[in-house]
Amino acid sequence: MSEQQSTIHYERTSPQIAKITFANPPVNLITGETVLRLIEIVTELATDPDIQVVLFDSATPDFFYNHFDLAAAADFPAPEDPDAVPAWTNLVLELSKAPYITIAAIRGRTRGGGNELALALDLRYASREKAIFGQPEVGSGLLPGGGGSERLPRAIGRDRALEAILTSDDYDADTAERWGWVTRALPDSELDAFVDTIVGRLASFDRTSLASAKAQINRASLPPDADLVAAYGEFTHSLTLPGFLTRAAGTQAVVEQAGIDFEYRLGHYIGIANQQR
């Protein structure tokens, strides 16, 4: 697949550093092609002897990695073997365990599958003015399926994870930093320079020491793989349930009224769509 057709731009900025930029305007919905391209890159990096740091960012203003494009759900890769780990689950598991450090420079909305991808990364640095986070599935009659229900409680605590997931609301970067959802929130004007400094510092360290220290911390902090596999199965099953199907039409009506503002204020509009039922 050509780079021009892809929602992902991959750049090797040095032997030790790679950059993965998401660009699917206008609102950076995650598509099947996004998943397949990310899998290709992560598979390639798995055997790379030099890579130490991988930076994730976005080329779409106001959006980092957004939620799945459910209108194109049929395009998402499905395993031929029913016992195989689903592609999206395998992707976030591989990123968490990769022998290199993954860093997110987050500007804009980061929701659903996009938030779950960010949670699978090692370090998350957010623009104080522009980053927004959320897990909107429950408000739509769905369940998180990519690690949100497994990783958020470990990052922010059970009660805060319950609030975030059950209310399906949007959270600003200050709240996300205070709760531990992100590593650090910085003024937008300082974000790039700060992240570049972290990337350069880590790229100068010993590769084996970085990977080994990450593996040690993983032993103490990551959820069991089987829990993420189960959650993805529960997510796909929830796509068939009345709770989702009865809300889909009402949500579509709100989308048609709100236009692109629906994605800008998703948490707000999910509440309206449910209250109008």
Side-chain angles (χ1 to χ4, degrees):
M1 96 191 35
S2 70
E3 200 68 66
Q4 289 72 29
Q5 296 172 324
S6 182
T7 57
I8 297 293
H9 175 71
Y10 174 66
E11 179 184 6
R12 194 63 174 263
T13 60
S14 79
Q16 294 78 30
I17 302 169
K19 185 177 181 182
I20 297 174
T21 302
F22 188 28
N24 188 26
V27 296
N28 269 11
L29 294 181
I30 295 175
T31 67
E33 188 278 333
T34 309
V35 180
L36 290 171
R37 182 67 182 120
L38 286 172
I39 290 171
E40 287 180 359
I41 295 169
V42 170
T43 300
E44 176 185 332
L45 291 174
T47 57
D48 190 299
D50 298 317
I51 191 69
Q52 293 186 200
V53 185
V54 179
L55 174 63
F56 289 74
D57 67 359
S58 168
T60 303
D62 301 325
F63 292 89
F64 182 63
Y65 283 58
N66 207 354
H67 56 85
F68 288 174
D69 184 358
L70 292 181
D75 296 333
F76 278 78
E80 296 180 5
D81 182 351
D83 295 325
V85 175
W88 179 258
T89 305
N90 190 63
L91 172 64
V92 295
L93 289 174
E94 290 294 322
L95 285 168
S96 295
K97 300 175 185 179
Y100 47 81
I101 310 306
T102 53
I103 299 177
I106 301 173
R107 284 187 172 90
R109 282 91 183 140
T110 306
R111 301 190 184 104
N115 181 60
E116 291 171 330
L117 179 71
L119 287 170
L121 305 181
D122 300 320
L123 300 170
R124 293 171 297 284
Y125 297 106
S127 164
R128 193 174 300 281
E129 298 92 335
K130 297 183 179 181
I132 294 174
F133 303 86
Q135 286 290 155
E137 293 87 355
V138 169
S140 302
L142 297 172
L143 293 172
S149 51
E150 290 70 44
R151 299 191 199 274
L152 259 186
R154 287 169 168 80
I156 68 177
R158 178 179 182 272
D159 54 340
R160 286 170 169 169
L162 280 168
E163 180 189 307
I165 291 173
L166 298 183
T167 66
S168 299
D169 211 346
D170 289 335
Y171 291 79
D172 61 28
D174 285 330
T175 302
E177 180 188 44
R178 188 169 64 251
W179 284 10
W181 200 324
V182 296
T183 311
R184 192 185 297 238
L186 299 118
D188 187 72
S189 61
E190 300 175 14
L191 178 63
D192 292 333
F194 184 90
V195 171
D196 286 347
T197 298
I198 293 289
V199 169
R201 180 182 178 90
L202 295 180
S204 73
F205 287 0
D206 177 68
R207 185 179 190 271
T208 299
S209 295
L210 285 175
S212 298
K214 174 177 171 176
Q216 286 182 326
I217 295 169
N218 281 351
R219 287 202 303 265
S221 59
L222 290 186
D225 292 3
D227 288 358
L228 273 76
V229 174
Y232 192 83
E234 291 158 358
F235 160 70
T236 57
H237 179 60
S238 69
L239 289 168
T240 69
L241 296 178
F244 170 65
L245 298 176
T246 57
R247 283 167 173 77
T251 300
Q252 183 58 37
V254 173
V255 170
E256 291 172 359
Q257 288 182 334
I260 198 171
D261 193 52
F262 182 86
E263 291 293 344
Y264 275 84
R265 298 195 295 154
L266 181 59
H268 168 74
Y269 284 113
I270 283 178
I272 289 178
N274 278 279
Q275 291 163 11
Q276 289 181 351
R277 289 183 62 246

